[in-house]
Amino acid sequence: MRFQHSTEIWSEFPELVPGVLVADGVNAEVSVRDRLPRLHRVAEERLATATEGELPEIQGPGVGRSPG
């Protein structure tokens, strides 16, 4: 598999540090159905008070914080 960001992304975000996660052993035989209701509740609660772009894990280190 080849992974690449567009030129526009690099132009707008030159500090971007790309990463790729490889997971072995993942297949269609594993059921996650019992985990989905809880994960949906968590997502709904978090998105009720902020947009996805405002979440700390999206913001990254140092973004959106006041200088100390």
Side-chain angles (χ1 to χ4, degrees):
M1 177 185 296
R2 185 164 187 252
F3 180 80
Q4 162 179 348
H5 289 98
S6 70
T7 303
E8 293 82 10
I9 293 290
W10 285 112
S11 294
E12 189 163 343
F13 303 99
E15 71 281 4
L16 179 67
V17 179
V20 176
L21 174 67
V22 177
D24 292 325
V26 177
N27 61 56
E29 296 176 17
V30 176
S31 175
V32 296
R33 188 169 298 195
D34 59 329
R35 299 178 186 183
L36 293 179
R38 184 185 69 78
L39 295 172
H40 283 159
R41 279 193 306 278
V42 168
E44 287 172 351
E45 289 169 5
R46 294 186 74 199
L47 293 172
T49 60
T51 65
E52 185 176 4
E54 294 169 325
L55 297 174
E57 58 269 36
I58 302 300
Q59 290 285 311
V63 177
R65 295 186 178 97
S66 301

